Amino acid sequence: MMEEFRTAYRNRNQILQQKSAQGKKIAGWICTYIPEEILYAAGMLPIRVVGSGGDTSTADAYLYSNICSFARGCLEEGMSGRYDFLEAYVAVNTCDNIRRLYDVWSAYGKTPFKHILALPHKVTDASAALFQAEVECFKDRLEQHTGQKITDENIREAISLYNRTRELLCRLYELRKSENPPISGTEVLEIVLASMQMDKVEYNQKLEQLLKDLSGRKKDASDKIRLLLVGSELDSAEYLQAIEDQGGIVVADDLCNGTRYFSDPVEMNGDPLKALARRYLSKAPCARMQPADERNQRVKKMVQDYNVRGIIYETIMFCDIYGENYPLLREELKDQDVPILSLSREAAFSGAGQLKTRVQAFFESIG
């Protein structure tokens, strides 16, 4: 089952091109604050746009040199034609890097439907109303593009399906609280990455089977250092593998390819658009949301719930929001006496030797 999840992510472009050739409309989204349920209710398959890493020479010609390598990698994929099968591309003004990525994609990309949502930085009644208006505008534009009405019933069905995915992923993370987790952090990341590329109906079926299989899986992690991983967008399983190979096990995370993607279900009662807007605005917050208190408190709670002995804080170069958040979180965690290792990296996995050396030294300091 793990191999099926790995294949779904690693061969995503080939698989999605085949689906597109068979008539399925594919919609690419760039940030976890975008309500996928609207796209699914419109009859599309929502998938996350990611970069493949490596050369970004084409994207470099269109973006500033201080734009993060994740945004440049995504644009490189788009400009090279590897996302030509997309019917829609949807973004949100998460940060300056993603905003500039959308500007260039909107101007030069071949995607028929392009849209960006404005996301408030705070969670208040006024900001929730503002974001609800953004979600309604998004739905209206999508209806105009497809020529089909997106009904409340369609949206509720999509919400129910996605809530099921969130429930199953929460169950997966619960298994990691045990003294000997039956699954590694690397495997969990691969499972979550697959969820962003697969139809949720098929994905839920496979994840349910995997959870049954894991109930009989035994692993001895008594000699592993339990870690919490925090930071920028991370879609490299190799990065986690390099950390865990040194004697650690990632048992929890605060990542947009982790808990920030699936935590907090959508309320099923009432106006579905209002419920979607409220959930996506107030879900497990990214560092771009203010104030930082709620996010820091969530991290502190994970340290306790997962019996964490060390935190690795990874930041993509030029990711201002996570670079700025690091000293705030470090100060907040002083009373828990949990050591933190700060690592800068590029989106594509590189510098394995240096990473291993720093992680080894960190583990030795923990004992």
Side-chain angles (χ1 to χ4, degrees), residues 74-179:
C74 292
L75 183 61
E76 185 73 24
E77 292 286 281
M79 300 298 285
S80 66
R82 286 189 282 272
Y83 276 120
D84 282 357
F85 57 81
L86 289 181
E87 176 68 20
Y89 172 80
V90 188
V92 64
N93 61 335
T94 317
C95 62
D96 288 343
N97 297 317
I98 298 302
R99 174 72 223 203
R100 300 287 79 77
L101 167 61
Y102 175 79
D103 290 342
V104 178
W105 197 302
S106 180
Y108 299 100
K110 298 178 181 179
T111 315
F113 177 85
K114 292 171 283 239
H115 186 82
I116 187 168
L117 293 91
L119 178 70
H121 283 273
K122 294 184 177 182
V123 182
T124 64
D125 289 341
S127 65
L130 173 63
F131 192 56
Q132 182 180 343
E134 285 290 308
V135 173
E136 289 172 350
C137 176
F138 171 42
K139 180 184 81 78
D140 292 344
R141 284 206 62 219
L142 201 56
E143 286 177 333
Q144 293 172 9
H145 175 74
T146 61
Q148 296 180 354
K149 178 71 175 175
I150 303 174
T151 66
D152 286 355
E153 187 58 33
N154 294 147
I155 298 173
R156 288 192 183 95
E157 289 176 1
I159 289 174
S160 177
L161 177 64
Y162 274 69
N163 275 352
R164 179 59 177 164
T165 303
R166 296 177 181 117
E167 177 191 347
L168 292 170
L169 286 170
C170 283
R171 284 172 52 190
L172 177 67
Y173 271 60
E174 282 294 314
L175 297 176
R176 307 170 77 189
K177 292 180 179 179
S178 68
E179 184 178 350

Side-chain angles (χ1 to χ4, degrees), residues 51 135 154 194 231-232 235 247 252-253 288-289 302 318 325 336 342:
V135 173
N154 294 147
S232 304
D235 54 40
D253 64 68
R288 58 97 62 201
M289 301 299 287
M302 279 193 281
F318 302 118
N325 183 256
Q336 289 186 307
S342 177

Side-chain angles (χ1 to χ4, degrees), residues 23 57 84 144 156 170-171 221 224 286 301 329 348-349 355 357:
S57 55
D84 282 357
Q144 293 172 9
R156 288 192 183 95
C170 283
R171 284 172 52 190
K224 303 285 187 180
C286 167
K301 189 174 187 304
L329 181 62
F349 180 54
L355 171 65
T357 299

Side-chain angles (χ1 to χ4, degrees), residues 80-317:
S80 66
R82 286 189 282 272
Y83 276 120
D84 282 357
F85 57 81
L86 289 181
E87 176 68 20
Y89 172 80
V90 188
V92 64
N93 61 335
T94 317
C95 62
D96 288 343
N97 297 317
I98 298 302
R99 174 72 223 203
R100 300 287 79 77
L101 167 61
Y102 175 79
D103 290 342
V104 178
W105 197 302
S106 180
Y108 299 100
K110 298 178 181 179
T111 315
F113 177 85
K114 292 171 283 239
H115 186 82
I116 187 168
L117 293 91
L119 178 70
H121 283 273
K122 294 184 177 182
V123 182
T124 64
D125 289 341
S127 65
L130 173 63
F131 192 56
Q132 182 180 343
E134 285 290 308
V135 173
E136 289 172 350
C137 176
F138 171 42
K139 180 184 81 78
D140 292 344
R141 284 206 62 219
L142 201 56
E143 286 177 333
Q144 293 172 9
H145 175 74
T146 61
Q148 296 180 354
K149 178 71 175 175
I150 303 174
T151 66
D152 286 355
E153 187 58 33
N154 294 147
I155 298 173
R156 288 192 183 95
E157 289 176 1
I159 289 174
S160 177
L161 177 64
Y162 274 69
N163 275 352
R164 179 59 177 164
T165 303
R166 296 177 181 117
E167 177 191 347
L168 292 170
L169 286 170
C170 283
R171 284 172 52 190
L172 177 67
Y173 271 60
E174 282 294 314
L175 297 176
R176 307 170 77 189
K177 292 180 179 179
S178 68
E179 184 178 350
N180 292 298
I183 190 166
S184 69
T186 303
E187 291 171 319
V188 170
L189 179 60
E190 291 175 319
I191 293 168
V192 179
L193 290 174
S195 75
M196 299 177 171
Q197 305 294 328
M198 297 174 64
D199 186 291
K200 290 297 192 287
V201 173
E202 177 189 4
Y203 179 79
N204 290 351
Q205 293 171 349
K206 293 184 183 301
L207 186 51
E208 286 173 355
Q209 182 59 52
L210 178 68
L211 288 170
K212 292 177 182 178
D213 295 343
L214 288 176
S215 63
R217 191 182 192 189
K218 304 296 181 184
K219 277 194 171 187
D220 183 8
S222 57
D223 61 338
K224 303 285 187 180
I225 295 177
R226 298 173 66 87
L227 300 170
L228 168 64
L229 188 62
V230 181
S232 304
E233 192 277 347
L234 177 64
D235 54 40
S236 171
E238 293 82 5
Y239 188 85
L240 256 69
Q241 188 67 65
I243 292 172
E244 294 189 315
D245 283 346
Q246 308 315 305
I249 180 168
V250 177
V251 294
D253 64 68
D254 181 61
L255 300 171
C256 65
N257 286 332
T259 55
R260 294 203 307 270
Y261 175 60
F262 62 82
S263 65
D264 309 298
V266 180
E267 176 61 49
M268 287 296 297
N269 298 322
D271 181 352
L273 287 180
K274 182 177 182 179
L276 278 173
R278 173 62 72 171
R279 183 268 170 188
Y280 277 89
L281 180 63
S282 61
K283 71 178 183 67
C286 167
R288 58 97 62 201
M289 301 299 287
Q290 298 297 327
D293 297 349
E294 182 188 349
R295 178 170 176 270
N296 290 340
Q297 291 304 316
R298 285 191 184 231
V299 172
K300 291 180 72 173
K301 189 174 187 304
M302 279 193 281
V303 170
Q304 296 175 342
D305 291 348
Y306 290 86
N307 192 25
V308 169
R309 294 184 60 200
I311 297 174
I312 292 183
Y313 192 103
E314 54 84 18
T315 312
I316 296 180
M317 294 290 290

